[in-house]
Amino acid sequence: MQDLFHKNRPIVGKTLPVLLPLGLDKAYDYLVPEHLEVALGDFVRVPLGNHERMGVVWEHPEDREGPDVEPEKLKSIIDRYDVPPLPRDSIKFAQWVADYNLMPLGTVVRMMMSASRAFEPEKPVFGVRLAGARPPRMTAARQRVLDLVENGLIWSKADLSRQAGVSTGVIDGLVKAGTLVSVEMPRKKPVIPRADYARTELTEVQEEAAYRLKSVVEAQNFTVTLIDGVTGSGKTEVYFEAVAEALRQDKQTLLLLPEIALTSQFLSRFEKRFGCRPVEWHSQLSQLERGRIWRAVAAGEARAVIGARSALYLPFCELGLIVVDEEHDTSFKQEDRGTYHGRDMAVVRALLADVPIVLASATPSLESLVNAQSGKYRYIQLSERYSDSELPDLATIDLKKHPPEKGTWLSPVLVDAVKETLANNNQALLFLNRRGYAPLTLCRNCGYRFDCPQCAAWLVEHRFRHLLQCHHCGFATPPPKQCPRCQAPDSLVACGPGVERVVEEVEERFPDANLALLSSDMIPNITALREILRSITEGEADIIVGTQIVAKGHNFPNLALVGVVDGDLGLGQADPRASERTYQLLNQVTGRAGRSSTKGRGLLQTHLPDHPVMQALISGDREAFMNQEIRLRQQTGMPPFGRLASLIISARDKTAAVNYARMIAQKAPKSEKIMVLGPAEAPIAVIRGRHRFRILIKAPRETDIQAYLRLWLEEIEGPKGDLRLSIDIDPYNFL
Ligand code: ADP
Ligand code: ZN
């Protein structure tokens, strides 16, 4: 990039605010040098202190009323980056996300600029092409290369060496000899999906649903449609028709999935329907790929993007449709580096762009169901599975009546069901939403308990990796040979099961079965996950043991039995959504069973067979259960009938934390309607050596909780030194 800044140029004319990707709310004013044309949304380089930073022009020159600072004191914009400006919708969206979540505007804009390579000129990539000169000496290897380049096309060296089965040295030799010439490769553009590449023959019910979606996409204005369809009903097939319509309208589509659902199964389904893979956006892309995708989205070359929640911050220039699949999934809620709910923000993104959004789930969130009931959202129900496959039969196993033998975790009823499944040459899945071998380790001799030195939490044994690990801070240590307190050798006992312990039991009971373990800590990356899922799909495992990573969106055709090892896990938490979430998770995981012709079964081990969640699952009467939950939330003023926000105060020094938290609570503006609860010590009282206190704010639905919080926070001194204060609007986590 040329440096166009001249220090001695006289200062004249315009100033504009530039927003920097820092934890700040305010844009800084900069002078616009005469030679530079800048407009709203342009990415510019500006001086800041002794550094140069990238920022975004945050106002349109024409809207400018004037700077608040004397022009003499201002610095100048250095240069403009050669990329399309941040679209207006993205600017409005950033403002909205910041206001709603009480996040500094700069933090939101930083997410929009996270693909730093997009702003560097793309380095040319060189390949080779046939030049003509005959090599002085011909070898078999050289001949193989020549056979391939004969057609005159440009090859990358890597592709050519792979296909010809030669080392790159052979190719370099041919370049030297003048047989090949090095040329710049044309830039790769994403392939454009084709709306009518391979239409699926839909059932009548699906067709009707697809028709409704097609019309909302045609209308191209803001509408929210909830597709509520049982697992296997063809929701994906149906919303693919909405994507097809967006393609026909020449609009971009953003498809949000929980990260873990970005599986190759999903991508190949997309490819089958539209003739090419979609553009993918997730946390494991390289910087180079991120940069390329960012540019392709900004230039309108990427027509369909499949991504995790951060894809909301991509600079779509012709957005025409957003789809959020598994909309109930709590992983859409981001809790580190700024808290926001991806699904809710997606609805806002659609509203600001005035485009339709489709939410899909087999177990919609209570919030979305309420919006559908009130008519705010359009509602499409698919209550039958595609083809003949029926929904699985679900039953509970009462652990009081049929307890597992001592030291084991599977009830005889479940063990028999697994046996039967294997005898029929089908697959069985055992689900336990707890990583590791055991959640607690004790000394048999003195009762010593292994706690995390930095957190108020037990260390979880991971036997396969030979570690005791904290699930809150990542602290890990190999299990000692003797008790650290009483020195008794080999005295450690594991208490309670994690998935690894279930694996151990399964290995003992079914020594001949092929086993697959699916637990996020055992899977290094998305590629490895895709490989495991593929092998399971192809029937390479007889028994699958997994955490919630197995619950999402996969389709294992041969899976006939799902056994839930601990159905009660998650019910005991002080969380207004505990029942709803447990229901969703167990419904999703049991819904994996019987997706093809075999009739599936789900067995839920529980101590609470009469609990409404278990009853709802086995009766299949979701509506009654959800309506009961809705009434409960209504009576207690919980979301969506009331608003919640959390303030989390932490410090290394407990007294400092509690004093600051109390001071904050005392300064709460008086209000008859808004309740301020706490401060109370957080359920996980210490994380990473920081003591934590929580304040919960509960307000009626119609209140502007953000305005209230802003008023409040203006009255208090910001956190100093080691103190930290974080704000969580619509909290999903109460720990
Ligand atoms: P959901 O998203 O509701 O779980 P899917 O769209 O994944 O449902 O469909 C479940 C399975 O049924 C998939 O394997 C899908 O390919 C198949 N399927 C659904 N509808 C059709 C259809 N109309 N024609 C062919 N296959 C279909
Ligand atoms: Zn810890």
Side-chain angles (χ1 to χ4, degrees), residues 133-181:
R134 270 205 69 76
R137 192 172 48 83
M138 189 54 93
T139 61
R142 287 183 161 186
Q143 189 58 53
R144 286 203 299 279
V145 174
L146 288 184
D147 289 346
L148 286 170
V149 297
E150 208 181 32
N151 57 12
L153 296 181
I154 303 176
W155 287 75
S156 81
K157 278 192 200 172
D159 283 349
L160 190 55
S161 72
R162 193 169 344 108
Q163 286 226 15
V166 303
S167 72
T168 46
V170 174
I171 296 167
D172 290 336
L174 286 167
V175 173
K176 227 171 175 180
T179 310
L180 298 179
V181 64

Side-chain angles (χ1 to χ4, degrees), residues 452-457 459 469-475 686-689:
C452 175
Q454 313 183 69
C455 305
L459 290 178
Q469 192 173 36
C470 172
H471 284 183
H472 301 288
C473 71
F475 170 87
V686 188
I687 292 184
R688 291 176 201 275

Side-chain angles (χ1 to χ4, degrees), residues 70-353:
E70 300 280 296
E72 293 75 40
K73 292 190 186 144
L74 293 179
K75 293 182 173 172
S76 279
I77 293 174
I78 301 171
D79 201 358
R80 188 171 69 79
Y81 287 84
D82 186 18
V83 291
L86 194 61
R88 290 205 180 210
D89 288 348
S90 294
I91 292 175
K92 283 190 283 181
F93 181 56
Q95 205 94 52
W96 211 98
V97 172
D99 287 347
Y100 186 85
N101 298 293
L102 277 88
M103 258 194 249
L105 190 53
T107 306
V108 183
V109 167
R110 183 164 54 208
M111 299 193 271
M112 295 185 164
M113 292 165 53
S114 70
S116 53
R117 286 290 282 274
F119 303 94
E120 295 168 19
E122 217 179 321
K123 288 199 195 76
V125 181
F126 287 91
V128 292
R129 177 160 60 76
L130 188 65
R134 270 205 69 76
R137 192 172 48 83
M138 189 54 93
T139 61
R142 287 183 161 186
Q143 189 58 53
R144 286 203 299 279
V145 174
L146 288 184
D147 289 346
L148 286 170
V149 297
E150 208 181 32
N151 57 12
L153 296 181
I154 303 176
W155 287 75
S156 81
K157 278 192 200 172
D159 283 349
L160 190 55
S161 72
R162 193 169 344 108
Q163 286 226 15
V166 303
S167 72
T168 46
V170 174
I171 296 167
D172 290 336
L174 286 167
V175 173
K176 227 171 175 180
T179 310
L180 298 179
V181 64
S182 185
V183 287
E184 196 177 324
M185 305 257 300
R187 201 169 61 84
K188 263 196 221 155
K189 283 191 198 171
V191 185
I192 296 183
R194 284 155 55 194
D196 297 301
Y197 179 78
R199 260 209 79 164
T200 313
E201 187 88 34
L202 298 179
T203 65
E204 212 170 304
V205 184
Q206 290 173 340
E207 192 68 63
E208 155 102 35
Y211 178 79
R212 289 179 62 188
L213 289 186
K214 191 170 166 262
S215 4
V216 299
V217 177
E218 254 167 4
Q220 278 300 303
N221 54 24
F222 173 66
T223 47
V224 188
T225 309
L226 175 64
I227 311 182
D228 174 1
V230 296
T231 47
S233 59
K235 290 184 293 297
T236 317
E237 303 293 339
V238 168
Y239 71 64
F240 272 176
E241 293 315 304
V243 177
E245 186 53 33
L247 287 167
R248 280 183 215 112
Q249 303 277 329
D250 235 351
K251 295 288 181 186
Q252 290 172 301
T253 295
L254 167 60
L255 224 160
L256 291 181
L257 297 170
E259 178 138 36
I260 219 67
L262 293 168
T263 57
S264 37
Q265 213 170 55
F266 187 88
L267 299 175
S268 35
R269 276 181 76 177
F270 187 97
E271 186 173 5
K272 254 194 217 146
R273 174 65 185 80
F274 297 107
C276 69
R277 310 249 300 186
V279 172
E280 283 179 73
W281 181 261
H282 55 73
S283 62
Q284 288 175 16
L285 297 172
S286 70
Q287 278 303 328
L288 181 67
E289 288 168 310
R290 292 175 80 80
R292 277 201 187 134
I293 294 172
W294 195 97
R295 278 176 176 259
V297 173
E301 292 165 3
R303 306 309 295 177
V305 178
I306 312 266
R309 60 183 179 228
S310 60
L312 281 170
Y313 299 104
L314 285 170
F316 290 93
C317 57
E318 293 169 345
L319 189 64
L321 170 67
I322 303 179
V323 178
V324 183
D325 200 353
E326 313 281 358
E327 68 88 31
H328 66 281
D329 197 298
T330 45
S331 73
F332 281 120
K333 173 87 183 187
Q334 163 158 311
E335 279 167 351
D336 49 348
R337 291 167 289 129
T339 54
Y340 64 89
H341 197 300
R343 178 201 59 226
D344 296 348
M345 293 307 112
V347 173
V348 170
R349 183 85 176 78
L351 172 73
L352 295 176

Side-chain angles (χ1 to χ4, degrees), residues 603-623:
L603 292 173
L604 306 151
Q605 297 197 147
T606 173
H607 285 99
L608 310 163
D610 298 326
H611 193 285
V613 169
M614 303 304 150
Q615 289 299 319
L617 285 163
I618 56 171
S619 67
D621 194 350
R622 185 193 77 190
E623 208 176 315

